[in-house]
Amino acid sequence: MIDYKAVEEKWQKAWRDAKIFEPGVSDRQPYMVTAAFPYTNGPQHIGHLRTYATADVLARYKRMKGFNVLYPMGFHLTGIPIISQANKLKEGDPGVIKDFKSFGIPENEIEKMKDPLYMGNYFANSAKNSMMLAGYSIDWTRSLNSIEPSFSKMVEWQFGLLNKKGHLVQGRHPVGWCPKDGGAVGMHDTKGDVEPEIEKETAVKFKVVGEEYSILCVTFRPETIQGVTNLFINETAVYAICRSGPDTYCISLQSMDSLKYQIELVKIAELKGSELLSKRCINPFNGSSIPIYPGYFVKEDIGTGAVMSVPAHAPFDYVAIERLKSSGYPIGELKPIVVVSMPKPDAKPSGNVASDVPELELPALKYLRAVNAGINSPDEDIEKATKLEYKEESYKGIMAVKEYEGMPEQEARDRIAESLIKSSAAIEVYALVNDKPVFCRCMTRVVVKVVDNQWFINYGNEEWKSAVREHLSKMNIFPEKSRSAFESAIEWINLRAVVRAQGLGTRFPIDPTHIIESLSDSTIYMAFYTIRNLIRGVDPEKLKPEFFDYVYLGEGNPQAVSDSTSIDYDIIKKCRESFTYWYCDTSRHSALELIFNHLSMYLFNHVAIFKKENWPKQIVVNGMVLMEGEKMSKSLGNIITLDNGFKKFGVDPARLVVVASTDLFNDSNFMEDSVNGVKERFEYINDVCLQLEKLETGELRQTDYWLYSRLNRKIDVISKAMEELELRAVSTELLYNTAKELRRYFARGGKNSVVVRDYVSSITLMLQPIAPHISEELWHILGNDSFSSAERWPVADASMINGKIEDQELLVDNVIEDAKQASALMSKKFGKKPKLMRIIVANQWKSDMLNSFAKSKNIGESVKAAVAAGADVAQAQRFAEGLAKKANEVHEMRLSENDEFESLSGATEYIAAMLGCNISIEQESQSKSQRAQRASPMKPSIDIET
RNA sequence: GCAGGGGUGGCAGAGCUUGGCCAAAUGCGACGGGCUUAGGACCCGUUCCCUUAGCGGGUGCGAGAGUUCAAAUCUCUCCCCCUGCACCA
């Protein structure tokens, strides 16, 4: 039995002592592998294993291919989550405390984590420990974290450069905002961790006749403005008349409280909603005069407390009008105006409920019916109808009124909104569109604030985009099929807010009251690894921009930099040397879901900052890890921390299952069964290594050549798979097929210790990237003093690949399989056990015919040739018919009749043993068996005597 | 809604880029047998349907339609699932 714990400790210590993963600058070709650094607000768990272990596999493989490989690691502490987590602890949040306890964190530590910095460092340390347990081939001398002062210096330099290049811009930006705290509110700051969803809306100004103010109505569907028949207000609410620049608005008093964070509002008067009812206002689109009615559904705290009524297309509006009518409210001529039509379905409707309702009705009514609602239905039903109508019409609706007639509704929406805003008939506002109101942790309701001077990185810059686009086309992307995601990410990414008012991190150089947002501060940090170890003794204050200009960009000269920064000349030189050495051939590892943020920003920033030769060369993304088929989540309680997982399963089995149970793109499924399967194979190979001495030596026999052939073919297959990072293929070939082949080799009578040693030695070496500890152990058992990690990757000897021998052995296996089946069926049916089996090899003319047919596909000629060669005409024709039937499947044979006969004869003992009866190998022409004629190439006839 | 990726046998998961050697690798599970005092491990066999002494035939790879001599594989439409959607790591 393999003692995983002991093996892991032994080799991890040996690696550390030998410092084999601390590469210096050398003559060997450099290769640098980096993986997204872990965020430190929790422990490492099995899910984290995937990215880091995949990177480790590549690092180890490249090392064996003769590269000088650097795999560094750092920790992410910037941002909000750590702070909000610490705050939760301070508040005594039972959820967080419970989670932490379940991770095995001692209570006194939890207490100390009320200090966010303490928490960050605690988890950084714990992550480092877990990663060391995982045996990643990381060079820890370069470790860094994202809040250390020297790192901040680099980030400051980076943003100075971005600014110089014009990539930083300022502008208006809506954010979730807590009026009480006076700060922006993201998901981590809200009660229940909900993301405030902000959407753009249009607020249309309806000038009130005879007054100086306009009623402001917020809408998602400005394109329906021609269908407005009236306004709705809440007659019991209080409305405010406010000045806003040159405009004067009438909005509900309550909505003023939230809207004032978006537009300037100075209240000059108040009036009751009921006072508005006697007035009329003007539709700014067409100048028509419309009345104002009380709308039962109008809420004073939503939007502006006033709604433009489009009864033809808004179920609520329709219902409100109908209810007013039936209550006797004086409504004169009010005709709903249809402004959007649905295309006639040319085929059968595709299950759209609404399509079942006859046309010629008002759309609003149609959708009400579609959800089985009427004018007296509860609001939830009307809401349903509203949503359905919004969805369907937005998707398929066609404008049905002049000017925009025939235009898809989506397009008309943008155009009309734009033109209304342009003519000052409307303004743009934002609203939270979460189903429920969003509250800040402090219980204050979150509003939308438009920040005026927000700083952005302008990823929308077309020049920048096209440079990135072009570079991407030259990069390796694994898996290749995620390239399209990168392509669309490049197109999609636009302005990205880059600073926050709070959180851990680097101060923004242009406005030190703000902190650089934490995804933006970690886009080029990998470059820092190349010098981190060299500047440990340097006072961070000395790391002035000119230092980075020289080290990263080669600008200036080391003497001048040394003079102005008072950093040692030698250190500066070495940094530059190290950077140029390492930062060329790089592989970046991260998870699939980061393509649209981190990885894209990584590309953009590299292109913006560095010289072309230092741009990224390769990105590897991987899916996530499922636990026994389920998503890992705290609520399911199925998160296994790395430390626990390793204890339970062993490092190599665990990482092998996570990394190699599926291809990169798919989610990998961590199942205990799979772990056990892996372990069994390890045990088997381990046993073979341990028992090598018991084998004999001697001349090579057919079986030995077979095993060599398999081995060399395997080396080819695995090497190719490794290059493509198809780790699943690597593991099946290396573990499952290896065990299978060895078993067969021994069963077939193989017993040559030299051959087996050669075989398992190569297997052991190829195992190194995916199962490093086991590999070292086996390598050691095989009598080697070196590290398998430091050995070279095996190279296939093409001359040892022998298709003929493999076919001969395949034939033997086929025969055994067929015979077993036949005899099993026979004994089942007739209850008789076979005494003797005749295995009859097909005539040579059959394989000749088959080969000629495979080439020419011409039956007639093949038959003729066969007859000329002495075949019986009737037999030849019968055989030809069989061939013709599956003409497409016929392929050439490598073995002649003699080859078949020889290999079967040579394997008589083996076959007899496998079948448990006597065997006679015969040739078709010589055999007296009646079944002899049934023989065909690679498929001898079998005649069973009982 | 938009963008990206998927839907394959009891399950997991290949194959689909380059259509035919695909009833579909591999692993797990289940069933039967062997080994064993017994269990585990291990070994052998079966595991879509019919049929058969290994043959052969049918149905079949989300649904439907199409291209083709030939489709899990190409095209179109539809349905469903997953991930991301921004200031948040």
Side-chain angles (χ1 to χ4, degrees):
Chain A
M1 287 289 279
I2 299 171
D3 180 348
Y4 287 96
K5 182 95 191 131
V7 169
E8 286 153 18
E9 276 173 7
K10 174 174 161 195
W11 292 106
Q12 283 170 14
K13 180 170 185 306
W15 291 333
R16 268 199 305 278
D17 292 348
K19 299 190 174 180
I20 57 171
F21 303 133
E22 293 176 22
V25 173
S26 85
D27 299 342
R28 285 162 75 192
Q29 274 224 64
Y31 193 83
M32 184 164 165
V33 175
T34 66
F37 50 23
Y39 195 72
T40 50
N41 66 340
Q44 288 272 299
H45 56 77
I46 296 281
H48 291 110
L49 191 52
R50 190 145 188 214
T51 300
Y52 303 123
T54 304
D56 188 50
V57 169
L58 181 64
R60 287 171 179 277
Y61 173 67
K62 285 285 182 180
R63 217 169 267 128
M64 295 180 80
K65 290 294 274 187
F67 289 85
N68 192 25
V69 176
L70 173 60
Y71 180 15
M73 187 56 66
F75 302 98
H76 204 186
L77 278 82
T78 46
I80 318 277
I82 292 180
I83 289 190
S84 74
Q85 195 107 299
N87 284 339
K88 281 184 191 168
L89 286 180
K90 270 187 216 155
E91 291 160 13
D93 185 315
V96 180
I97 295 173
K98 197 181 133 225
D99 287 343
F100 279 14
K101 279 188 183 158
S102 77
F103 294 141
I105 301 166
E107 217 151 311
N108 62 324
E109 293 290 351
I110 295 178
E111 186 59 30
K112 289 187 226 159
M113 284 186 203
K114 289 176 180 171
D115 171 12
L117 261 182
Y118 186 87
M119 182 190 299
N121 285 318
Y122 178 91
F123 284 124
N125 268 327
S126 113
K128 182 176 173 185
N129 286 333
S130 302
M131 289 173 146
M132 291 185 34
L133 286 180
Y136 302 143
S137 58
I138 290 172
D139 175 2
W140 288 105
T141 65
R142 297 157 192 269
S143 146
L144 56 90
N145 79 53
S146 62
I147 55 169
E148 60 187 40
S150 53
F151 183 80
S152 284
K153 286 292 164 193
M154 184 192 73
V155 175
E156 282 168 22
W157 169 78
Q158 175 190 2
F159 278 81
L161 205 55
L162 287 176
N163 191 32
K164 217 186 284 172
K165 297 196 173 186
H167 292 314
L168 300 182
V169 295
Q170 264 184 306
R172 279 163 59 83
H173 186 62
V175 291
W177 188 264
C178 172
K180 190 178 154 211
D181 295 350
V185 176
M187 187 175 84
H188 297 287
D189 311 309
T190 62
K191 216 178 119 217
D193 282 349
V194 287
E195 181 78 49
E197 289 170 49
I198 297 170
E199 252 171 52
K200 197 189 278 181
E201 292 184 290
T202 308
V204 186
K205 305 170 190 172
F206 289 87
K207 178 82 171 52
V208 177
V209 178
E211 304 285 352
E212 59 160 340
Y213 55 83
S214 302
I215 295 178
L216 207 54
C217 297
V218 172
T219 179
F220 280 110
R221 300 182 73 184
E223 73 278 10
T224 60
I225 185 130
Q226 295 184 69
V228 173
T229 56
N230 62 292
L231 298 192
F232 282 122
I233 53 102
N234 183 329
E235 59 180 327
T236 61
V238 177
Y239 284 76
I241 310 296
C242 317
R243 277 210 205 293
S244 175
D247 292 311
T248 310
Y249 299 136
C250 172
I251 59 177
S252 73
L253 195 55
Q254 273 201 30
S255 68
M256 204 187 136
D257 283 342
S258 55
L259 273 177
K260 69 183 175 200
Y261 293 99
Q262 297 189 41
I263 47 180
E264 180 205 350
L265 290 172
V266 181
K267 187 170 75 177
I268 51 174
E270 279 184 18
L271 74 171
K272 286 184 187 140
S274 51
E275 289 176 57
L276 288 166
L277 294 177
S278 56
K279 303 182 189 296
R280 293 182 75 84
C281 51
I282 304 297
N283 181 338
F285 189 86
N286 51 22
S288 62
S289 162
I290 52 173
I292 301 171
Y293 296 141
Y296 78 97
F297 62 91
V298 179
K299 311 240 169 3
E300 50 187 317
D301 60 344
I302 291 182
T304 53
V307 173
M308 65 181 221
S309 162
V310 187
H313 293 285
F316 271 112
D317 299 346
Y318 174 82
V319 166
I321 297 277
E322 291 302 313
R323 288 190 189 177
L324 285 177
K325 270 188 195 162
S326 59
S327 71
Y329 195 88
I331 291 182
E333 289 274 306
L334 190 150
K335 261 205 182 136
I337 307 158
V338 175
V339 296
V340 177
S341 67
M342 295 294 279
K344 281 267 185 316
D346 38 26
K348 210 178 108 213
S350 55
N352 285 336
V353 256
S355 312
D356 300 336
V357 179
E359 289 297 324
L360 296 169
E361 277 184 356
L362 283 182
L365 183 55
K366 184 172 99 172
Y367 285 96
L368 279 169
R369 294 227 182 128
V371 298
N372 288 321
I375 54 170
N376 293 315
S377 296
D379 285 359
E380 303 94 76
D381 292 347
I382 302 172
E383 182 67 35
K384 257 189 233 160
T386 303
K387 283 199 169 143
L388 184 63
E389 174 161 10
Y390 182 79
K391 191 179 150 190
E392 281 199 13
E393 290 188 340
S394 296
Y395 185 42
K396 293 182 188 158
I398 303 292
M399 297 306 290
V401 282
K402 57 180 183 273
E403 242 179 282
Y404 294 92
E405 194 167 349
M407 188 184 285
E409 181 169 350
Q410 291 271 14
E411 192 186 339
R413 179 176 301 162
D414 295 342
R415 292 247 210 132
I416 290 174
E418 198 181 315
S419 87
L420 285 172
I421 291 167
K422 218 170 176 184
S423 63
S424 318
I427 56 173
E428 199 170 75
V429 296
Y430 299 90
L432 286 174
V433 294
N434 300 61
D435 286 340
K436 290 176 191 159
V438 179
F439 291 95
C440 176
R441 275 266 188 50
C442 70
M443 299 305 290
T444 312
R445 178 140 170 207
V446 172
V447 300
V448 178
K449 179 179 165 77
V450 174
V451 182
D452 261 328
N453 299 313
Q454 174 66 291
W455 282 95
F456 299 93
I457 297 185
N458 183 14
Y459 293 116
N461 179 324
E462 191 38 51
E463 234 173 278
W464 197 3
K465 262 190 205 298
S466 66
V468 176
R469 206 181 288 135
E470 207 216 311
H471 180 62
L472 176 75
S473 70
K474 294 186 207 136
M475 287 178 65
N476 285 337
I477 302 290
F478 288 115
E480 178 59 33
K481 67 174 150 186
S482 61
R483 184 183 294 277
S484 53
F486 278 97
E487 282 162 358
S488 21
I490 291 172
E491 301 314 314
W492 165 85
I493 194 169
N494 194 8
L495 291 176
R496 181 168 182 108
V498 75
V499 297
R500 287 206 53 144
Q502 36 173 336
L504 297 172
T506 303
R507 301 217 162 264
F508 186 53
I510 305 172
D511 172 8
T513 63
H514 280 67
I515 308 276
I516 293 170
E517 178 270 321
S518 57
L519 280 187
S520 302
D521 77 10
S522 47
T523 53
I524 61 161
Y525 68 88
M526 316 80 202
F528 200 55
Y529 289 129
T530 65
I531 59 169
R532 183 69 195 92
N533 54 333
L534 302 172
I535 56 166
R536 287 241 185 258
V538 176
D539 175 5
E541 283 312 309
K542 292 183 183 169
L543 299 173
K544 295 179 182 167
E546 51 266 41
F547 171 77
F548 293 106
D549 283 341
Y550 174 69
V551 171
Y552 286 158
L553 306 177
E555 288 170 9
N557 68 75
Q559 194 52 58
V561 174
S562 177
D563 291 345
S564 79
T565 61
S566 70
I567 302 171
D568 263 15
Y569 175 89
D570 279 348
I571 292 181
I572 297 169
K573 276 223 76 177
K574 270 194 189 154
C575 285
R576 173 70 185 156
E577 222 175 279
S578 177
F579 172 76
T580 50
Y581 176 75
W582 285 115
Y583 218 61
C584 42
D585 200 357
T586 60
S587 180
R588 176 80 186 147
H589 295 247
S590 190
L592 224 38
E593 65 261 27
L594 267 63
I595 292 176
F596 278 78
N597 47 48
H598 167 73
L599 288 171
S600 296
M601 293 160 75
Y602 163 78
L603 289 179
F604 273 88
N605 279 276
H606 274 78
V607 166
I609 302 279
F610 292 107
K611 294 260 176 340
K612 217 166 190 154
E613 60 265 28
N614 303 314
W615 291 0
K617 298 296 183 298
Q618 169 167 307
I619 289 180
V620 179
V621 290
N622 48 257
M624 52 185 188
V625 179
L626 302 176
M627 184 56 65
E628 303 287 345
E630 300 218 57
K631 213 168 158 170
M632 274 191 259
S633 77
K634 286 177 190 162
S635 58
L636 286 170
N638 60 354
I639 296 182
I640 301 182
T641 61
L642 271 198
D643 302 16
N644 288 338
F646 291 158
K647 229 178 272 169
K648 187 165 176 198
F649 306 112
V651 171
D652 286 356
R655 67 181 250 162
L656 212 137
V657 165
V658 167
V659 155
S661 67
T662 182
D663 65 48
L664 278 176
F665 203 83
N666 283 348
D667 295 341
S668 79
N669 193 357
F670 193 89
M671 295 193 284
E672 215 167 320
D673 283 338
S674 317
V675 179
N676 292 335
V678 168
K679 280 185 171 177
E680 280 163 25
R681 278 24 175 232
F682 281 156
E683 291 291 346
Y684 181 75
I685 298 172
N686 188 48
D687 286 348
V688 170
C689 290
L690 286 172
Q691 283 165 26
L692 259 186
E693 297 147 25
K694 295 183 188 158
L695 297 177
E696 299 162 15
T697 51
E699 230 166 85
L700 297 187
R701 301 184 307 167
Q702 163 109 351
T703 344
D704 299 314
Y705 285 114
W706 173 80
L707 195 65
Y708 271 129
S709 184
R710 294 304 307 167
L711 172 64
N712 285 288
R713 198 180 287 282
K714 186 191 293 280
I715 292 173
D716 260 350
V717 167
I718 293 175
S719 303
K720 249 180 225 129
M722 265 298 186
E723 292 294 330
E724 299 297 314
L725 278 173
E726 288 169 357
L727 302 184
R728 207 188 53 80
V730 170
S731 89
T732 38
E733 187 58 38
L734 205 44
L735 281 183
Y736 297 96
N737 292 351
T738 290
K740 212 184 266 181
E741 280 161 18
L742 279 173
R743 286 198 175 108
R744 184 192 185 275
Y745 172 80
F746 293 126
R748 179 79 172 81
K751 52 189 172 185
N752 191 312
S753 70
V754 176
V755 176
V756 176
R757 175 181 298 277
D758 282 351
Y759 184 88
V760 287
S761 293
S762 292
I763 297 297
T764 298
L765 291 177
M766 291 192 286
L767 222 34
Q768 161 57 221
I770 58 175
H773 306 90
I774 299 294
S775 166
E776 293 287 8
E777 184 67 11
L778 295 179
W779 190 240
H780 185 69
I781 292 173
L782 289 171
N784 301 292
D785 290 330
S786 59
F787 288 106
S788 67
S789 338
E791 289 292 320
R792 288 304 161 91
W793 186 259
V795 179
D797 178 353
S799 71
M800 293 303 279
I801 298 179
N802 187 329
K804 192 173 151 190
I805 288 185
E806 287 187 45
D807 272 2
Q808 286 183 317
E809 291 302 302
L810 183 67
L811 173 69
V812 170
D813 288 346
N814 284 350
V815 164
I816 293 171
E817 198 175 306
D818 283 358
K820 267 186 181 167
Q821 243 176 72
S823 78
L825 272 172
M826 210 170 166
S827 55
K828 204 164 155 194
K829 220 163 186 165
F830 308 113
K832 287 181 186 166
K833 291 222 162 158
K835 282 193 199 112
L836 173 72
M837 288 203 205
R838 294 179 198 283
I839 294 164
I840 305 141
V841 174
N843 256 328
Q844 179 63 33
W845 67 260
K846 284 187 179 167
S847 52
D848 287 344
M849 189 165 153
L850 195 151
N851 286 345
S852 98
F853 179 72
K855 261 185 248 157
S856 68
K857 301 277 172 191
N858 185 325
I859 294 275
E861 268 178 32
S862 307
V863 173
K864 246 184 245 165
V867 172
D872 177 87
V873 179
Q875 269 193 51
Q877 271 171 355
R878 200 177 315 143
F879 187 68
E881 271 168 37
L883 288 183
K885 240 186 188 173
K886 32 185 181 175
N888 292 322
E889 298 166 21
V890 172
H891 54 286
E892 286 188 59
M893 292 290 139
R894 250 188 298 222
L895 302 184
S896 67
E897 180 185 1
N898 267 342
D899 293 333
E900 290 198 19
F901 185 74
E902 262 173 36
S903 57
L904 289 171
S905 302
T908 311
E909 262 179 60
Y910 173 59
I911 298 173
M914 297 302 281
L915 296 177
C917 68
N918 289 329
I919 297 296
S920 158
I921 311 291
E922 302 174 0
Q923 279 169 297
E924 184 178 343
S925 52
Q926 254 83 61
S927 176
K928 295 193 180 79
S929 165
Q930 293 196 325
R931 298 179 77 90
Q933 284 182 23
R934 297 170 74 129
S936 54
M938 280 306 268
K939 199 154 191 70
S941 174
I942 296 165
D943 190 0
I944 303 175
E945 285 179 21
T946 54

